[in-house]
């Protein structure tokens, strides 16, 4: 840790004081310097000799804050097919995006202009490729511009974040990514940084964006100044890390360079998060230029921290790392990045283990959870493919489904880490399903690959669907990426040399500490010379078991009384105390926690639900929230919902101004209009309707004046076989069916006037011509005396025969 | 409404025979060879000025001849992708 001296690093750039996410010079204001950028600067890392290029709509190369670091060799114009990436200027400044991103990376420091870039001495270029038709060729060209010269490509764009798009790189762009990874930076691999997506308001999920969801890109999300989820943020399991970005109106924004040589603090969304991380990676590459593309991802995983970021799903994976679907492994830490980079030893080679495709078709029934498992030895029998320690995990699926947005997919690793590969997307009504779509998760990073993997699929219809059309999982394949050896502590046999037990003095009474120390000093033991358990630390062991280590690589579990053993990760019900390398028991009801207190739970045991506001585990959820069974947490109902069941948008009671449409709460519309879910606006009903559920004339729910509701239509008069009737509480009349077999009935509906063929009118009712044709006189007397023909229920009972018989 | 596929008048072509062969093929079938696609070896960018710039229909016809040429491994008419700045 460096002691920061704000006076040592003062810049004369006029907006420097507004860069709250980099420094805390004003002690009276709120401080948000957890990204530790200044500490990295103080170590002398500012991005020198590192080349970053922004793939976007151009870069204003003569912007006073960029001109000094601008690098023409890191630039190209794919749209104009020349070397100049200058943006096309128009009245609306449409092409400001690339220039804004570039400033965040490498705006010059101390030039009395605008801001200070995170890597203010890095070289910056622009690849202009968004100002024209974007095709696979355009993307492939952009991703492959001078891969031996450009170190980091930063992209803050992608397929539409409208909550209904599933799209990713085409074959050429995919190949460009692969080529960049294999050959870029003279074989070390190009670094591709990607913004996770802005579709939060549309319920989008970034696993449906094949760029952020790729193992080759570093997917970056955003958090607000106060550590909240920004309204625009998309979640997914492939997000690796996070930076600050703009949030609610009362939270501070990000400042950067702008088109026409200006500076701006406009709303930034997730777009500046990618260049911020590109800048931080530039600092790390300056510290150690030999880092390869996977080293960078490992260092990000290792150094990013959850700090105060608020997410309902923070959990510790099987390798002891806190990870969430909102923020990946957390906020980037530039200082920790450069410190790790400096001493980093290249991770072992990447192994890829492709599991056998499971092609057994399985129907996905609505409202039912289906699970399918695969047991893997992670290619243990192929040395070049064996994956022991995981990095990325990909699940390739082919699914047919009548409404893709109703699907939810989870993957559960052998260590029990549950990654949500796909969440429900309200607006995704496509019936195209997924064809060989690769969902990726980083949540199992560092875990052991071998064992049983489970895929969970849940189809929760958001609207009425044809029950006869079901979804079907047609094929799925598990693809494991990782290493055969431990990435940070390659397996080695330790010899017991040091004789100091790894017992934290804080855990024992002083007398016991003294006893143990003296006991150890004088005790003579036969020296053990065999291999130690792989969880044993550098002090060696007294035997091969994990309970015989003298210290631990990861964590020790247990206590002096019951005995201790080394584990790679703390089991459920315990928290990993990183400082003391101990597993500490959580409070009752907590499954995972960040402290031992009742209000320090991060996930709950079965039968308990986490209340995110208080971090407590309770047996029931408060009003406005529902208990999510699989996550075991209380989640808030959708903002339009007053009460919901099982899912945030499975509403049962709506807020004022909203009404139920299926299980959704949609805004109330003016009379004569309805809420069109596809267009997300009120649309006109057919002229005959007073209210409706669609534009068609057969989609009325209430009719205009003087019309009658019949079979969802509003008609001026009822047709034959029906009569007009009032319904209390309804503004219109409805057509009711006359009694059975009646062709025309009175306006009251009580008496029939004309019967269908084969029936005869009898006392206002229709009786069949053939019923009871053999009643004798005596029988008819009985019928008459009992007045059966006056009672509708018995009118078919020989009445006609008896009448004919007099 | 489901977004419609929009075809452009650009093609990606894989020609293992090298840049000269790619240039010959482009000339033979009436394309303008825009050169190699970035760093992708054997992949070339062809442009056809007499095809509609943006169309909701693919353009087979004459382009099938290019596809059928024995020196061509793979051809793909380029689709215009909706890409959004974030």
């Amino acid at each position: 840790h460096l002691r920061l001296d704000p006076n040592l690093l003062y810049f004369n750039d006029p907006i420097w004081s507004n860069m709250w996410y980099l420094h805390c010079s004003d002690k009276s204001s709120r401080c948000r310097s957890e990204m530790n950028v200044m500490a990295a600067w103080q170590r002398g890392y500012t991005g020198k000799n590192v080349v970053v290029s922004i793939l976007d709509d151009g870069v204003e190369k003569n912007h006073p804050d960029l001109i000094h670091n601008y690098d023409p060799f890191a630039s190209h114009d794919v749209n104009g097919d020349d070397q100049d990436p200058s943006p096309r200027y128009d009245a609306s400044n449409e092409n400001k995006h690339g220039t804004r991103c570039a400033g965040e990376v490498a705006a010059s420091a101390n030039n009395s202009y605008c801001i200070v870039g995170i890597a203010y001495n890095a070289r910056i270029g622009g690849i202009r490729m968004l100002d024209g038709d974007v095709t696979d060729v355009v993307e492939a060209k952009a991703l492959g511009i001078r891969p031996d010269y450009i170190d980091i490509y930063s992209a803050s764009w992608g397929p539409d974040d409208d909550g209904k798009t599933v799209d990713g790189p085409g074959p050429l762009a995919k190949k460009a990514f692969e080529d960049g990874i294999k050959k870029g930076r003279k074989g070390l691999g190009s670094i591709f940084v990607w913004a996770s997506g802005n579709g939060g308001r549309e319920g989008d999920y970034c696993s449906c964006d094949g760029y952020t969801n790729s193992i080759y890109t570093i997917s970056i999300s955003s958090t607000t100044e106060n550590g909240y989820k920004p309204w625009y943020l998309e979640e997914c399991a492939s997000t690796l890390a996070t930076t600050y970005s703009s949030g609610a109106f009362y939270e501070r924004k990000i400042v950067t360079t702008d088109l026409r040589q200006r500076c701006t603090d406009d709303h930034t969304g997730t777009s500046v998060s990618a260049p911020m991380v590109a800048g931080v990676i530039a600092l790390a590459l300056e510290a150690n230029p030999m880092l390869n593309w996977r080293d960078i991802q490992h260092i990000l995983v290792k150094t990013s921290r959850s700090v105060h970021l608020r997410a309902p799903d923070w959990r510790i994976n099987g390798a002891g790392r806190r990870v969430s679907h909102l923020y990946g492994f957390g906020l980037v830490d530039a200082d920790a990045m450069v410190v790790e980079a400096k001493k980093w030893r290249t991770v072992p080679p990447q192994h890829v283990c492709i599991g056998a495709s499971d092609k057994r078709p399985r129907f996905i029934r609505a409202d039912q959870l289906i699970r399918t498992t695969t047991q893997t030895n992670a290619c243990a029998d192929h040395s070049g493919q064996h994956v022991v320690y995981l990095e990325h995990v990909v699940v390739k699926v082919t699914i047919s489904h009548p409404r893709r947005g109703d699907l939810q997919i989870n993957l559960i690793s052998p260590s029990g880490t549950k990654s949500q590969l796909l969440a429900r997307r309200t607006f995704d009504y496509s019936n195209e399903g997924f064809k060989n779509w690769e969902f990726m998760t980083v949540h199992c990073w560092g875990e052991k690959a071998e064992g049983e993997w489970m895929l969970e699929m849940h189809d929760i219809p958001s609207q009425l669907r044809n029950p006869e059309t079901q979804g079907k999982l047609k094929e799925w394949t598990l693809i494991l990426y990782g290493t055969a050896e431990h990435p940070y502590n390659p397996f080695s046999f330790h010899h017991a040399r040091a004789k100091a037990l790894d017992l934290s003095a804080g855990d024992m009474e002083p007398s016991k500490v003294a006893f143990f120390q003296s006991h150890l000093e004088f005790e003579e033991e036969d020296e053990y010379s065999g291999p130690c358990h792989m969880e044993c630390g550098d002090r060696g062991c007294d035997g091969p078991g994990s309970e015989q280590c003298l210290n631990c690589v990861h964590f020790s579990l247990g206590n002096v009384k019951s005995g201790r053993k080394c584990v790679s990760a703390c089991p459920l019900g315990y928290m990993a105390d990183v400082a003391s390398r101990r597993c500490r028991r959580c409070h009752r009801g907590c499954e995972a926690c960040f402290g031992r207190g009742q209000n320090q739970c991060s996930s709950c045991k079965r039968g308990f639900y986490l209340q995110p506001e208080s971090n407590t585990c309770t047996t029931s959820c408060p009003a406005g929230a529902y208990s999510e069974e699989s996550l075991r947490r209380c989640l808030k109902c959708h903002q339009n919902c007053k009460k919901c069941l099982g899912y945030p948008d499975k509403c049962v009671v709506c807020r004022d101004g909203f009404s139920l449409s299926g299980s959704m709460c949609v805004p109330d519309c003016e009379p004569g209009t309805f809420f069109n879910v596809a267009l997300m606006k009120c649309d006109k009903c057919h002229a005959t309707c007073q209210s409706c559920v669609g534009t068609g004339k057969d989609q009325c729910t209430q009719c205009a004046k003087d019309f009658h509701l019949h079979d969802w239509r509003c008609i001026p008069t009822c047709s034959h076989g029906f009569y007009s009737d009032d319904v209390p509480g309804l503004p219109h009349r409805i057509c009711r069916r006359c009694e059975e077999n009646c062709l025309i009935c009175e306006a009251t509906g009580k008496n029939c006037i004309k019967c269908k063929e084969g029936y005869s009118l009898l006392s206002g009712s229709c009786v069949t011509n053939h019923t009871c044709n053999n009643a004798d006189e005596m029988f008819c007397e009985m019928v008459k005396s009992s007045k059966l023909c006056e009672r509708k229920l018995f009118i078919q009972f020989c009445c006609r025969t008896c009448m004919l018989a007099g | 409404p489901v977004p419609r596929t929009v075809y452009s008048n650009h093609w990606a072509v894989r020609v293992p025979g090298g840049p000269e062969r790619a240039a010959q093929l482009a000339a033979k079938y009436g394309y303008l060879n825009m050169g190699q696609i970035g760093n992708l070896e054997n992949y070339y960018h062809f442009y056809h000025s007499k095809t509609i710039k943006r169309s909701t229909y693919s353009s087979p016809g004459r382009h099938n001849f290019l596809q059928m040429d024995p020196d061509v491994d793979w051809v793909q008419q380029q689709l215009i992708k909706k890409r959004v700045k974030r």
Side-chain angles (χ1 to χ4, degrees), chain A residues 423-435:
Chain A
R424 290 170 72 212
R425 299 199 305 165
T426 314
F427 299 148
D428 186 0
Y429 47 77
S430 166
N431 60 4
E432 288 182 1
F434 292 97
K435 290 183 188 110

Side-chain angles (χ1 to χ4, degrees), chain A residues 555-716:
Chain A
F555 302 103
S556 75
L557 174 69
N559 55 41
V560 179
K561 265 188 190 169
S562 63
R564 283 185 171 168
K565 65 176 182 177
C566 290
V567 291
S568 61
C570 296
L572 295 179
Y574 289 83
M575 64 162 282
D577 183 342
V578 178
S580 66
R581 293 194 181 182
R582 290 282 314 278
C583 294
R584 296 190 185 279
R585 193 184 287 277
C586 300
H587 191 271
R588 191 185 75 87
C590 293
E591 183 186 63
C593 57
F594 49 89
R596 296 161 90 170
Q598 186 181 2
N599 58 349
Q600 290 179 302
C601 301
S602 48
S603 70
C604 301
K605 287 181 179 167
R606 190 184 297 275
F608 290 84
Y609 303 97
L610 183 72
Q611 293 203 36
E613 289 82 11
S614 59
N615 295 318
T616 54
C617 288
T618 55
T619 50
S620 59
C621 294
Y626 68 97
S627 49
E628 216 286 345
E629 288 298 332
S630 59
L631 294 173
R632 292 181 207 152
R633 71 182 58 236
C634 299
L635 295 181
K636 279 190 177 162
C637 296
H638 188 274
Q639 55 185 5
N640 300 345
C641 271
K642 215 179 213 173
K643 277 185 188 169
C644 59
L645 283 178
Y647 295 92
D649 50 0
K650 204 161 188 174
C651 307
V652 287
V653 181
C654 296
R655 274 197 315 140
D656 291 344
F658 293 84
S659 46
L660 272 177
S661 168
S663 62
M664 283 171 69
C665 286
V666 297
D668 289 336
C669 293
E670 294 282 307
T673 64
F674 72 104
F675 191 75
N676 188 330
V677 177
L679 302 174
M680 293 307 287
K681 63 168 194 174
C682 293
D683 226 346
K684 272 195 173 171
C685 297
H686 189 266
T688 58
C689 311
Q690 185 180 311
S691 63
C692 61
V693 292
T695 51
K697 61 182 173 188
D698 55 352
Q699 291 177 295
C700 304
T701 51
Q702 289 188 342
C703 294
K705 195 167 176 276
D706 300 333
F707 281 85
H708 298 77
L709 186 67
H710 175 56
D711 200 14
W712 300 97
R713 289 167 185 263
C714 293
I715 50 179

Side-chain angles (χ1 to χ4, degrees), chain A residues 473-622:
Chain A
L473 171 65
K474 294 180 167 175
E475 186 178 353
W476 75 287
T477 312
L478 184 68
I479 306 169
L480 307 171
Y481 294 85
T483 55
E485 300 104 59
H486 194 285
Y488 318 133
N489 305 300
F491 185 78
S492 61
F493 295 108
H494 300 296
H495 284 259
R497 291 280 179 261
K499 289 290 171 191
L501 256 175
D502 182 33
L503 294 172
S504 164
D507 296 333
M508 288 187 285
E509 296 161 29
S511 58
K512 282 185 183 167
V513 177
F515 167 77
F516 269 89
Q517 281 171 350
S518 60
H519 184 69
L520 287 166
E521 266 174 41
F522 298 107
E523 189 181 53
E524 284 188 11
E525 286 180 352
D526 292 334
E527 201 164 84
Y528 172 70
S529 59
C532 293
H533 189 272
M534 61 194 301
E535 282 302 325
C536 293
D538 54 2
R539 293 187 191 167
C541 60
D542 288 331
S546 63
E547 70 288 351
Q548 291 167 297
C549 304
L550 296 178
N551 68 339
C552 300
V553 173
H554 297 104
F555 302 103
S556 75
L557 174 69
N559 55 41
V560 179
K561 265 188 190 169
S562 63
R564 283 185 171 168
K565 65 176 182 177
C566 290
V567 291
S568 61
C570 296
L572 295 179
Y574 289 83
M575 64 162 282
D577 183 342
V578 178
S580 66
R581 293 194 181 182
R582 290 282 314 278
C583 294
R584 296 190 185 279
R585 193 184 287 277
C586 300
H587 191 271
R588 191 185 75 87
C590 293
E591 183 186 63
C593 57
F594 49 89
R596 296 161 90 170
Q598 186 181 2
N599 58 349
Q600 290 179 302
C601 301
S602 48
S603 70
C604 301
K605 287 181 179 167
R606 190 184 297 275
F608 290 84
Y609 303 97
L610 183 72
Q611 293 203 36
E613 289 82 11
S614 59
N615 295 318
T616 54
C617 288
T618 55
T619 50
S620 59
C621 294

Side-chain angles (χ1 to χ4, degrees), chain B residues 38-68:
Chain B
N39 251 29
L40 305 182
E41 246 175 64
N42 299 332
Y43 286 87
Y44 298 91
H45 177 188
F46 284 11
Y47 166 75
H48 198 268
S49 60
K50 286 179 185 160
T51 300
I52 298 171
K53 192 176 175 187
R54 294 186 190 100
S55 164
T56 50
Y57 298 98
S58 67
S59 313
R62 72 172 71 213
H63 308 293
N64 279 346
F65 293 114
L66 176 67
Q67 188 143 22
M68 287 188 292

Side-chain angles (χ1 to χ4, degrees), chain A residues 767-781:
Chain A
V767 294
T768 175
N769 291 343
H770 305 294
T771 307
C772 177
N773 55 12
N774 55 356
D776 57 19
E777 204 171 312
M778 198 170 164
F779 192 83
C780 284
E781 280 304 318

Side-chain angles (χ1 to χ4, degrees), chain A residues 292-339:
Chain A
N292 69 31
W293 69 280
R294 284 173 49 246
D295 291 331
I296 293 289
Q297 294 204 22
H298 271 278
I299 294 174
L300 274 167
V301 170
K302 202 171 179 191
T303 58
S304 298
R305 299 165 305 144
S306 54
V307 281
H308 63 288
L309 306 191
R310 297 164 211 232
D313 68 331
W314 277 118
R315 59 177 51 198
I316 295 170
N317 76 1
R321 303 210 173 279
R322 271 166 81 77
V323 65
S324 102
H325 291 84
L326 283 173
Y327 306 124
F329 291 93
L331 199 70
V332 294
D333 181 335
D335 190 45
M337 284 279 287
V338 297
V339 168

